[in-house]
Amino acid sequence: VVIDELARNGVRLIVLSPGSRSGALAIAAAAHPGIEAIVVIDERSAAFHALGRSKATGAPAAVVSTSGTAPANWFPAVVEADMSCSPLVLLSANRPEELRGIGANQTIDQTRMFGDKVRAFTEIAAPGDEDLDAGWRAGVSRAVGAALGNGDRPGPVHIDIAFREPTVPVSDDGRTRADPYPYPTEGRPGGAPWEHAPSAARGEVPRLGYRPRGLVIAGDGAYDRPGLMSAASELGWPVLGTALSELRGTPVIDSYHHLLAAPVPDRLRPQTVVAVGRIGPSERLEALFGMGEERVRIDAWGRHIDPGRNATSTHAADPVAALRHVEVGDRDETWAQEWATAASRVRRALRDDLAATTAASGAGVATALDVVDWGCLVAASSLPIREIDAHITRSGPVVANRGASGIDGLVSTALGVASALPRTVAMVGDLSLIHDGNGLLHDGRRDLVLVVVDNNGGGLFDSLPQATHAPGYERLFVTPHGRDLADLARFHRVGHARVEAMEGLVGAVEDALARGGTTLVVVPVDRAHDLATRRRLDAAAVSAVGDA
Ligand SMILES: Cc1ncc(C[n+]2csc(CCOP(=O)(O)OP(=O)(O)O)c2C)c(N)n1
């Protein structure tokens, strides 16, 4: 009943981890024709796998685990799902009430174990003598509704389900058989869900003032992208599109990260800046936001976003409706053109510089990926998301775990994305890869190319103050591991290619996509050269802006 009700509410992928108490859920999920059931051994990876699917489709995906520490391993993915507003359904099996708190094996208090990180917590009682079908179905249906937002933010929900033995038709001692459940279990006619989730409600449309020199910084979240572009264009305001806005390529300004390395000249200084959703990873966008006289934050999910604590107003509203609501005054026709010119000069300078360098760098990898015909790009936290944000000009789905910016769970997130979107390519740091190596322990087929920037540790720290001020910097922060990632590929029986020269990268990724299955394409990168490249690109952008 529980699994069927999940399917009726739009769940198509259930990620199972092994265990006895959850056995009935696993058997039912594997048998349900409307569900893909995949087994992932490590529960932390399992939850990220489901999260990747949810991020790729916007539909809820589910995980099932046994009792005890098993569901506790979901916590990192729950945090990310909460922060990134991704619908995720967590189904933990548990002992029935009478076996809790008395020292029964593998039994912990699972009640509200994810605290306020979940949108809803529901307990489903073990089947007993009374008819519980409606209660089970209503509980599941309402929980999925809450995961989808129910008029508010989407996010994770937790359903804890009690099972009395026997958990399969025969009990542990092999003797007892359970009586058949005597009540009807059909659910609503026509395969309908038990309850229909109310549609999302939006706040009132704010009335923003008009100034000719306005900028829109498009971040993550739920809004109509083409609608935002046309509304901004009506106002004569350029749109700066972050990687997670998926708005890239002319007329979108996508070279802002290096462009903003220069002091912003007067001709590019905004009067109004409207930030839509969360606008990372480039911290330079926050500085640009701070330059506006009017600084507006709008989030369709109503998240409170104001990291600089400098917004002149914040709104829980549809950003497109808000921009359409602005009464246009006298436009400054040179304004958008100034931004477009600076942005395209910077883009050309970045491309020219990288074309003249043969040594591998993160920027070079991202630039090569701009040429690959990917269906979805997954970006690991740390440098990969920053390089993708700086260098990708193709628009298309981009997924990253930027809700909480963990480097964990990335392999599994990408595998979950690949379960729904063809030609998924992920750009990953070596630590991110190793951290979630267990994600490769699954029994599904996933076509995924993981392009690994192998700089032997965390290269991001080279740009942080620790690099020059912390004793023991290399060991304590960079954590060079010296592992050969080909060994990881061999252990997990996935494909492997090593690309030393940048000009071979596009071909290697295209080949791996054509072959199918999962492949690690490892690009060794020297950390010092990588840092020097980022600085050189900043300098190239500064002179490109200055020359205009
Ligand atoms: C779960 C988690 N642990 C630790 C961190 C802190 N952290 C941020 S970046 C980073 C290094 C990542 O290294 P790698 O994945 O190789 O990427 P690179 O920095 O080289 O781009 C670490 C450990 C984090 N963000 N998330």
Side-chain angles (χ1 to χ4, degrees):
V1 167
V2 167
I3 297 293
D4 181 57
E5 193 58 34
L6 285 174
R8 288 162 180 250
N9 282 272
V11 172
R12 293 288 167 270
L13 175 72
I14 301 186
V15 185
L16 308 167
S17 299
S20 157
R21 193 62 50 166
S22 52
L25 292 171
I27 293 165
H32 198 290
I35 297 275
E36 182 200 356
I38 182 171
V39 179
V40 176
I41 293 173
D42 181 328
E43 286 83 2
R44 182 172 70 182
S45 302
F48 275 109
H49 198 121
L51 179 68
R53 172 67 162 250
S54 152
K55 287 195 176 204
T57 61
V63 275
V64 167
S65 87
T66 188
S67 58
T69 58
N73 278 281
W74 291 335
F75 203 75
V78 172
V79 169
E80 175 59 30
D82 172 25
M83 297 295 291
S84 60
C85 300
S86 311
L88 184 64
V89 183
L90 314 157
L91 296 155
S92 57
N94 204 350
R95 263 58 172 177
E97 188 58 39
E98 66 271 16
L99 293 181
R100 297 185 200 167
I102 54 168
N105 182 44
Q106 212 183 313
T107 305
I108 66 163
D109 184 2
Q110 294 175 185
T111 312
R112 300 186 191 281
M113 68 187 287
F114 301 107
D116 62 2
K117 305 263 179 287
V118 289
R119 304 287 179 268
F121 170 76
T122 310
E123 278 181 288
I124 291 189
D129 296 335
E130 68 277 52
D131 180 0
L132 286 172
D133 179 45
W136 290 329
R137 286 193 183 273
V140 170
S141 198
R142 205 167 314 137
V144 179
L148 287 168
N150 253 352
D152 201 344
R153 274 171 272 184
V157 294
H158 180 199
I159 306 175
D160 195 48
I161 310 186
F163 287 96
R164 237 174 238 117
E165 294 204 1
T167 54
V168 288
V170 181
S171 73
D172 287 0
D173 62 13
R175 282 173 292 149
T176 340
R177 281 188 74 85
D179 292 329
Y181 185 69
Y183 301 102
T185 57
E186 281 78 42
R188 299 273 187 222
W194 197 265
E195 294 186 2
H196 284 282
S199 62
R202 304 247 183 236
E204 242 174 68
V205 179
R207 168 76 72 185
L208 309 177
Y210 183 76
R211 289 180 166 92
R213 298 163 144 245
L215 283 179
V216 177
I217 306 178
D220 70 352
Y223 58 92
D224 162 21
R225 267 70 176 166
L228 188 84
M229 289 304 296
S230 69
S233 151
E234 289 291 311
L235 301 173
W237 292 357
V239 175
L240 281 61
T242 64
L244 289 184
S245 78
E246 301 175 6
L247 289 167
R248 308 293 283 191
T250 314
V252 177
I253 311 285
D254 55 21
S255 56
Y256 50 79
H257 175 72
H258 289 291
L259 188 159
L260 292 170
V264 176
D266 282 348
R267 66 179 196 281
L268 300 179
R269 268 191 174 261
Q271 297 168 309
T272 297
V273 188
V274 179
V276 176
R278 288 180 71 188
I279 60 171
S282 177
E283 65 294 342
R284 292 170 185 173
L285 285 176
E286 285 299 335
L288 179 68
F289 180 75
M291 280 173 209
E293 294 152 32
E294 192 173 0
R295 302 173 295 277
V296 182
R297 294 268 184 186
I298 306 181
D299 187 56
W301 283 323
R303 294 171 293 179
H304 180 70
I305 303 168
D306 189 19
R309 280 176 282 192
N310 58 354
T312 49
S313 64
T314 60
H315 309 276
D318 172 11
V320 178
L323 291 180
R324 291 219 169 104
H325 212 49
V326 177
E327 259 177 55
V328 195
D330 285 340
R331 291 173 41 147
D332 175 349
E333 299 301 339
T334 61
W335 167 245
Q337 195 48 51
E338 290 286 4
W339 266 94
T341 306
S344 73
R345 277 172 176 275
V346 167
R347 178 63 65 209
R348 202 169 326 120
L350 300 177
R351 289 287 153 103
D352 289 351
D353 180 289
L354 289 168
T357 335
T358 47
S361 64
V365 169
T367 303
L369 290 181
D370 206 28
V371 180
V372 170
D373 182 22
W374 44 265
C376 178
L377 206 48
V378 181
S381 291
S382 204
L383 292 174
I385 179 66
R386 291 177 167 79
E387 301 291 17
I388 281 175
D389 190 57
H391 298 288
I392 293 294
T393 63
R394 279 190 47 194
S395 51
V398 176
V399 172
N401 286 335
R402 291 304 292 177
S405 298
I407 60 158
D408 46 352
L410 198 280
V411 173
S412 301
T413 304
L415 288 164
V417 170
S419 76
L421 301 178
R423 299 181 71 82
T424 296
V425 176
M427 180 173 167
V428 193
D430 47 295
L431 288 190
S432 251
L433 174 79
I434 292 169
H435 203 291
D436 191 28
N438 278 356
L440 295 167
L441 284 170
H442 65 83
D443 73 344
R445 189 195 153 88
R446 297 287 185 254
D447 296 330
L448 170 68
V449 181
L450 290 151
V451 179
V452 189
V453 178
D454 184 6
N455 54 8
N456 192 24
L460 177 77
F461 296 110
D462 287 344
S463 321
L464 302 183
Q466 283 88 344
T468 42
H469 290 102
Y473 170 66
E474 287 282 323
R475 175 171 167 246
L476 300 182
F477 295 91
V478 180
T479 60
H481 47 80
R483 301 297 196 276
D484 182 355
L485 300 177
D487 291 339
L488 187 74
R490 217 168 294 126
F491 178 68
H492 287 292
R493 300 179 194 150
V494 295
H496 171 259
R498 187 179 164 91
V499 175
E500 309 262 357
M502 283 282 83
E503 52 285 9
L505 182 57
V506 173
V509 176
E510 293 283 3
D511 285 353
L513 284 169
R515 261 196 317 274
T518 298
T519 307
L520 303 189
V521 175
V522 178
V523 185
V525 166
D526 176 71
R527 264 176 41 225
H529 169 73
D530 206 37
L531 178 65
T533 303
R534 294 196 294 280
R535 292 190 172 149
R536 216 182 50 238
L537 293 176
D538 270 348
V542 170
S543 56
V545 174
D547 289 351

